[in-house]
Amino acid sequence: MTRGLDDALIRQVAVRVVLAIIATVAFTSYRRAVQRSKGFVAACVAGMLLVTQPHVVYYSSRLIPNAYALVASTFAAGCYRRGGRTWALIGGAVMAGVAVSMRCDLVLVGVPYAAWCWLGAPRVPIALGAVVGAVAAAASVAASVA
């Protein structure tokens, strides 16, 4: 009986370590994107803000929707910070997909962010961004229902 418990514990720790590694990759990607667009000091500040928030450390090792949403939305923000139309569309699609499938409250962050992306620093035409977001949202709904 203890062998099964040990195996379950090992699997749980392994999955949490993998999630922590994925979160680290997403945060590092975001920090590098900030460094490319705003410089080293801004990247250091962004990195310090990311790692000193208690929720980031907590969610980075928990198997709950918040953890996946945090990692995906950080990746999406990094995609936008990289610059260019393709990265902005990838970031928007990821954010829309996560908002629909995992965390609908991401809309509270995503809508103002999308408005800033398309109105304040236009890289993607609004119609194209809306289509990509709608397709990502539809794909998320289809995947969650299937």
Side-chain angles (χ1 to χ4, degrees), residues 38-54:
K38 298 293 182 185
F40 180 75
V41 173
C44 287
V45 170
M48 289 302 294
L49 286 174
L50 276 172
V51 299
T52 58
Q53 300 301 312

Side-chain angles (χ1 to χ4, degrees), residues 17-82:
V17 166
V18 169
L19 179 60
I21 289 169
I22 293 170
T24 302
V25 168
F27 300 145
T28 303
S29 173
Y30 177 75
R31 188 185 170 283
R32 286 185 181 153
V34 170
Q35 183 171 349
R36 269 188 237 122
S37 65
K38 298 293 182 185
F40 180 75
V41 173
C44 287
V45 170
M48 289 302 294
L49 286 174
L50 276 172
V51 299
T52 58
Q53 300 301 312
H55 283 89
V56 171
V57 176
Y58 177 79
Y59 287 143
S60 294
S61 65
R62 300 296 189 266
L63 303 176
I64 54 178
N66 294 9
Y68 306 122
L70 175 67
V71 170
S73 61
T74 302
F75 173 76
C79 286
Y80 181 77
R81 298 298 304 144
R82 288 175 195 261

Side-chain angles (χ1 to χ4, degrees), residues 52-143:
T52 58
Q53 300 301 312
H55 283 89
V56 171
V57 176
Y58 177 79
Y59 287 143
S60 294
S61 65
R62 300 296 189 266
L63 303 176
I64 54 178
N66 294 9
Y68 306 122
L70 175 67
V71 170
S73 61
T74 302
F75 173 76
C79 286
Y80 181 77
R81 298 298 304 144
R82 288 175 195 261
R85 176 180 285 190
T86 302
W87 284 111
L89 287 172
I90 291 170
V94 169
M95 187 70 86
V98 170
V100 168
S101 62
M102 288 185 243
R103 297 292 301 184
C104 62
D105 56 351
L106 271 179
V107 171
L108 297 174
V109 175
V111 169
Y113 191 70
W116 178 80
C117 290
W118 288 312
L119 300 176
R123 292 184 185 149
V124 178
I126 292 174
L128 179 59
V131 167
V132 168
V135 168
S140 293
V141 168

